Amino acid sequence: MSDPVVRFGVYADAHVGYAARCRVHPASGLNMRTRDGMLAVRAVTRSMVEAGVDFVVAGGDDFHRSHPAVGDIVWMRQQMESFARAGIPVYGNTGNHDASAERGKSPATAAINDPDRGIHYVTEPYRRFEVADGLVLHVISHYGLAQSERLVPEPVDGAVNVLSAHGAAMLPGHEVFRCVDSPGEVPIGLDLLADDRFALKALGHYHGMGEILPGVWYAGSLVRRGFSDPAGGRGWLLVEVHADGRVQVTPQHIAQRAQHDLPRIDATGMTGAQVEELIRENLAAVDVADAIVRQVVVNCSSSVRRGVDQPALAELTRDALMWMPDFRRPDVVEDDGERVVEGLSTSMLTAGAADLPAAYGGWVGEWAGAVGLSEQLRPVVVSEGERHLREASQDAEIGGFAEPREPAPRATPAREGQERTEQAERTGQVERTEQTEPARDAPRVDATTGEETPW
């Protein structure tokens, strides 16, 4: 096996300036996730310099926004200066986050473009560089992929051609294909990906590191942005080009903040206390200190969620950088004309009129455990509530349950008294008497809102 003639590094998707809802670093005042991103760029820069690469390809999205903060620009310029001092040229791409949607506005990468020091960032649709003898780099930026007429570079005959592009590979069946139709995304056609005249296609945009087709590599992001990004190592790609034109790619990883996606919990048929117990068991199995921790609970009704002592869980995870409880309600089943109550957690808002008493009984069982309702009172609360719901749902004319219509008017003390008097008169049980105003020490109820109001 011949020794490599050229060795270069590829990184992408630094997203400097990205922040999350978490605490700040005490000394610098930076959002901790912003600081993570800055440290990741520095780690990659130092690793590439130590590896002695001949040049660097930056795959796009160095910045998280097209109008980065001054501090973000200064930090990136410092990393570029490290490459310049080491005599390592940089050939950078412009990604969709770097690019501005405003006509005539320069992309964020223009702020770190410094050709006189060997820092070449492509802010136009396409550029070609002869980076070494017989080695040609083709760079298609976000602008080039977003053109109405798709840009297709022509490889140079007799040279080893390397392509850098920033976009979503149109590869059906792969996770990256899911983002092709997202706003602001631009696709990379399968014809370009399969063009074997390019010895390597080094791509940016997808945050997972790896080879998706022979000779087609995504460098991945430098920081995993929570659980929306794919799992796996982060860092950069060491590319070695041999004299016979063969290209070898080796991932180089850097340290990452720990992220724990705890085993999912299916809350079907559970109480809030039972769900909480499982969450505590999951937390006990990992080290949460300074980590990003998520717990997904599926099929979890609002009443079950209220039965989970979330302040206690927050205290249990106080040393974590981010604690992300994710309670997901049961999926709504399409109405096929038959309504069925499934389990104790059925929503009171989606049950049919005939289902409400049964749904209420199950809901009270969960609610009672959450608020500490005594065992003696539970049967009373259940039976009385079910009785009232049955009466409210009953259709007197057909003897069945009424279809949901307008809500029944709220009763007032005066109206109830009048109805009782009229009923008595019809049955001949009492003589009609003059209706009196309710006593002033009784509560006054607003007929529209049902709220008690002062006299």
Side-chain angles (χ1 to χ4, degrees):
M1 181 180 294
S2 62
D3 293 332
V5 176
V6 178
R7 300 168 74 249
F8 65 94
V10 179
Y11 81 89
D13 294 278
H15 285 276
V16 171
Y18 162 75
R21 297 181 63 179
C22 61
R23 62 177 179 264
V24 299
H25 184 247
S28 65
L30 289 171
N31 178 280
M32 287 294 288
R33 294 300 277 157
T34 300
R35 185 171 182 269
D36 286 349
M38 289 181 165
L39 295 179
V41 177
R42 188 175 70 182
V44 165
T45 300
R46 290 178 174 177
S47 180
M48 287 183 172
V49 171
E50 291 173 2
V53 297
D54 297 305
F55 62 90
V56 170
V57 176
D61 279 359
D62 273 345
F63 297 100
H64 191 58
R65 299 177 183 83
S66 63
H67 49 286
V70 173
D72 300 338
I73 296 173
V74 170
W75 184 262
M76 284 303 299
R77 287 191 66 90
Q78 289 174 348
Q79 309 318 305
M80 296 301 112
E81 288 170 3
S82 296
F83 286 127
R85 287 194 299 270
I88 300 174
V90 177
Y91 302 93
N93 207 334
T94 294
N96 57 308
H97 279 257
D98 302 316
S100 173
E102 298 180 28
R103 190 179 184 88
K105 183 177 179 181
S106 297
T109 46
I112 55 177
N113 184 41
D114 192 354
D116 291 340
R117 304 182 69 181
I119 311 300
H120 309 272
Y121 269 83
V122 177
T123 58
E124 58 266 47
Y126 167 75
R127 280 188 70 185
R128 189 179 73 187
F129 303 92
E130 186 171 354
V131 291
D133 186 23
L135 181 60
V136 177
L137 174 66
H138 303 259
V139 181
I140 307 178
S141 73
H142 170 78
Y143 298 115
L145 293 174
Q147 289 182 157
S148 56
E149 293 187 9
R150 194 163 61 91
L151 193 155
V152 180
E154 186 65 26
V156 176
D157 291 337
V160 176
N161 293 273
V162 174
L163 173 70
S164 169
H166 190 98
M170 295 189 67
L171 186 60
H174 193 279
E175 185 181 17
V176 68
F177 190 64
R178 296 188 304 174
C179 63
V180 170
D181 293 328
S182 301
E185 311 294 348
V186 289
I188 302 174
L190 187 58
D191 56 341
L192 187 58
L193 299 175
D195 191 340
D196 58 9
R197 294 179 298 170
F198 292 99
L200 172 68
K201 277 78 73 173
L203 309 180
H205 183 66
Y206 177 61
H207 288 186
M209 176 189 286
E211 188 177 30
I212 63 170
L213 285 173
V216 181
W217 281 80
Y218 270 104
S221 59
L222 299 193
V223 169
R224 187 183 179 196
R225 299 185 303 167
F227 298 96
S228 60
D229 280 356
R234 263 50 184 183
W236 59 284
L237 303 176
L238 172 62
V239 182
E240 298 176 310
V241 182
H242 295 262
D244 58 2
R246 183 171 44 86
V247 174
Q248 181 178 350
V249 180
T250 308
Q252 308 291 312
H253 295 123
I254 60 173
Q256 289 290 300
R257 182 179 296 279
Q259 291 191 194
H260 303 300
D261 201 2
L262 303 178
R264 289 195 174 199
I265 297 172
D266 188 341
T268 302
M270 291 186 182
T271 65
Q274 291 171 325
V275 171
E276 181 180 337
E277 182 179 356
L278 292 178
I279 294 175
R280 288 176 176 272
E281 290 177 2
N282 287 343
L283 288 171
V286 299
D287 182 6
V288 302
D290 294 320
I292 300 171
V293 186
R294 180 176 72 166
Q295 176 66 75
V296 176
V297 182
V298 298
N299 295 318
C300 184
S301 67
S302 299
S303 57
V304 172
R305 178 174 53 81
R306 285 193 293 268
V308 176
D309 190 347
Q310 297 202 51
L313 294 177
E315 176 63 20
L316 191 63
T317 56
R318 66 183 182 277
D319 293 333
L321 177 65
M322 297 171 65
W323 162 236
M324 304 166 63
D326 185 355
F327 296 93
R328 302 179 184 179
R329 297 185 63 185
D331 292 333
V332 178
V333 180
E334 293 186 5
D335 187 359
D336 60 358
E338 296 182 1
R339 297 180 182 270
V340 180
V341 178
E342 297 181 356
L344 300 182
S345 302
T346 302
S347 171
M348 295 289 289
L349 299 176
T350 58
D355 301 329
L356 285 174
Y360 172 80
W363 174 79
V364 167
E366 297 168 349
W367 170 81
V371 301
L373 185 68
S374 68
E375 293 290 342
Q376 293 81 1
L377 286 178
R378 290 189 191 187
V380 178
V381 173
V382 171
S383 61
E384 285 300 298
E386 289 180 348
R387 180 177 64 82
H388 283 293
L389 286 169
R390 287 193 181 94
E391 292 177 355
S393 301
Q394 194 80 21
D395 189 318
E397 293 184 1
I398 64 174
F401 289 98
E403 292 294 326
R405 297 193 185 96
E406 294 296 324
R410 296 182 181 272
T412 64
R415 178 170 179 168
E416 289 177 349
Q418 181 179 355
E419 290 177 348
R420 284 195 297 270
T421 302
E422 291 174 350
Q423 175 67 19
E425 287 181 344
R426 286 195 296 270
T427 59
Q429 293 177 353
V430 296
E431 295 181 0
R432 181 176 178 86
T433 58
E434 183 178 355
Q435 182 175 328
T436 59
E437 183 179 352
R440 287 301 177 109
D441 58 351
R444 182 181 183 186
V445 180
D446 187 293
T448 303
T449 65
E451 301 286 340
E452 292 186 4
T453 60
W455 285 94

